[in-house]
Amino acid sequence: MKVTQESLSKEYHESGAWSDLPLDELFRNTAKEHPTRMALVDAPDRSTWTGGNPRQLTYEEADAEIDRLAAFYSTVGLSSDHVIGVQAPNTVDTVIAILAALRADLIVSPLPLHWRQKNVLDALNSIGAKGFIAADRVETREVGAAARDVAADLFSLRFVFGLGNEVPDGLIELGPMLAEMGKDLEFTPSERPDPADHTATICWSRSGEENVPISRCHNHWMSASEIVIREAHIKDASTILVPYSLSGLTGLGAGLVPWLKCGGTLYLHHPTSLSNLAQHANDIGADVVMTPGPLAQSLDRQLESNDSTVLAAWNISSPHPTTFVARRRIVDLHVADEFALVAKARGPSAKVKGTSLGKHCGPEGFESGPALVEIAVADEVEDQTPTLLVKGPMVPEIGWRTINGEQRRVRWEGNGYLNTNIKVEKLEDGIAGFGIPGLYALGTGNLETIDMVYSSYPGVREAAAFVVEDPIVGARMYAAIVPEPGNVPDASAFFAFLDAEGVDLAKIPHRVLILQSLPQNSDGTICRERLTLRTQRLPAAVA
């Protein structure tokens, strides 16, 4: 299924930004040329956070598994352009499941790991998903059991598959099923025209008040990854360590797809601590290591190889990048939710420059080669913060079939730009990255929306969400609540209320402050900076 306008598709092909090569073909080509090269390697501590022992596969071994699973999808009745949801952590099994779905011409909808049953149900229902793949567990969460409950409530969901060795009853265990049917499964690839122009994924924008489906074809992903590969100088056969879940633009666009394009080895990691990530990188001698931007300086100090490149990912909820003299190559990866990304290597001064407006092509310069993304800001309106506009070969389609309504704040403008509704801060040389610190929470949307969730707790007069810097994950969300007169709220009861309401995990605060009133700015809005200062006792970079 194609969703990009034919005129745009033709323009991107003629510019050289788009090609005829789908993602799965990249993997197949490497498997043919380098069958014994190591392709995928699990984290050594896999069994501590999800079911199954660590695995590693060569390209030849992985290609055979992908073939069998793609044939299995077809055998059970999943056909071209059927949508299959995936909610699973960074494992070899997850990558195989995604690549097999793409090989079978399915559309993959990777779901954030922190989504609860309600979020998953709403998302899969809105896009008419026919299948769902879920891990047995992620740390202490029984994801497989929740997937079974989703299937019971969603009539259109015909197949629910489980990954791991603790899959609950009611789910089809992919591992044993493939082992039993392996010799009888033979995959026959399709011959549909323009395969790279067809929709590959439906990811989810989470920066606004609602979850917006974001459709990307294979070529959208190729363009997003190309700007990372060029700026980070990722070479063929590189070893890439990815701690981001494969559910969005950061993990897929800057991790999985660059791995497919360079034909290297993908080392999968589940983040538990910065020291654990650094140790993993040192053990494998990683060429490229991804990390949250706020942790880049600490990671840089702990890495042993000076030849490693650090991809420092800054999302719209991150503080502004800090200046520091790095010991190795640092590439700042600015990610505008699920809409676009820009990669910029730091120069000798170690100073982070603003993100320039206009065309971005990679290190050759703004006017050399096909533009991969073009950045602008919306015309300023009095008393309103400007918002980010993007267009170009990496910019996806929004909506899915009938749910791309005009009422959405994320929308296409008449000038061809996609208005992301992400508020940005203008500088003399462009904009200060994507997003304004303190306005957004990681993976959950704007803070005002979360305020309403916290305020719905009985006995609370008003509440506010705010962000505090954290040395482990970069930033954590806190809650400040003001009780009604005479009411003494219980923090543990507050957490229990959020859990009972099915609030997604990223919206549950790390800690709760009980206050008599919330600090305000001169215009009457909540002063989140003062709340942050009260908690971290440091300059409030995130609020």
Side-chain angles (χ1 to χ4, degrees), residues 117 134-137 141-151 166-169 171:
Q117 182 178 334
D136 51 2
R137 66 178 175 88
R141 286 184 59 221
E142 301 296 332
V143 179
R148 180 186 57 199
D149 295 339
V150 167
E166 303 167 20
V167 176
D169 293 339
L171 273 65

Side-chain angles (χ1 to χ4, degrees), residues 350-400:
K351 183 179 180 180
V352 181
K353 297 181 179 180
T355 302
S356 301
L357 301 180
K359 297 179 180 180
H360 289 254
C361 311
E364 295 89 349
F366 293 147
E367 303 302 328
S368 174
L372 299 171
V373 66
E374 189 170 347
I375 297 171
V377 294
D379 293 336
E380 294 187 48
V381 180
E382 186 178 358
D383 297 329
Q384 289 189 11
T385 307
T387 56
L388 176 69
L389 305 178
V390 292
K391 69 177 179 179
M394 77 165 67
V395 178
E397 304 300 323
I398 57 170
W400 179 245

Side-chain angles (χ1 to χ4, degrees), residues 225-285:
S225 68
E226 185 63 22
I227 203 167
V228 179
I229 293 170
R230 291 181 188 179
E231 190 70 17
H233 298 169
I234 299 177
K235 301 176 181 178
D236 288 347
S238 291
T239 56
I240 304 177
L241 179 59
V242 177
Y244 283 87
S245 65
L246 306 176
S247 63
L249 188 53
T250 307
L252 292 171
L256 184 77
V257 182
W259 161 68
L260 289 172
K261 296 191 76 170
C262 80
T265 304
L266 181 64
Y267 286 87
L268 298 152
H269 184 92
H270 182 74
T272 55
S273 71
L274 181 62
S275 60
N276 192 28
L277 176 62
Q279 186 62 53
H280 195 176
N282 290 332
D283 288 344
I284 65 176

Side-chain angles (χ1 to χ4, degrees), residues 291-301 310 312 314 320-332 346-352:
T291 184
L295 306 183
Q297 184 173 6
S298 297
L299 179 64
D300 179 57
R301 292 171 178 168
V310 175
W314 304 88
H320 290 317
T322 55
T323 297
F324 68 93
V325 178
R327 301 176 182 178
R328 55 194 45 77
R329 185 176 180 82
I330 303 289
V331 177
D332 291 305
R346 299 202 183 190
S349 69
K351 183 179 180 180
V352 181

Side-chain angles (χ1 to χ4, degrees), residues 108-126:
V108 179
S109 183
L111 306 175
L113 290 180
H114 61 73
W115 274 12
R116 304 280 283 273
Q117 182 178 334
K118 180 180 183 300
N119 305 105
V120 172
L121 180 62
D122 290 345
L124 295 182
N125 182 49
S126 70

Side-chain angles (χ1 to χ4, degrees), residues 82-85 123-132 154 156-158:
H82 277 166
V83 179
I84 185 167
L124 295 182
N125 182 49
S126 70
I127 57 177
K130 301 297 183 184
F132 185 29
L154 189 55
S156 66
L157 204 60
R158 296 166 55 189

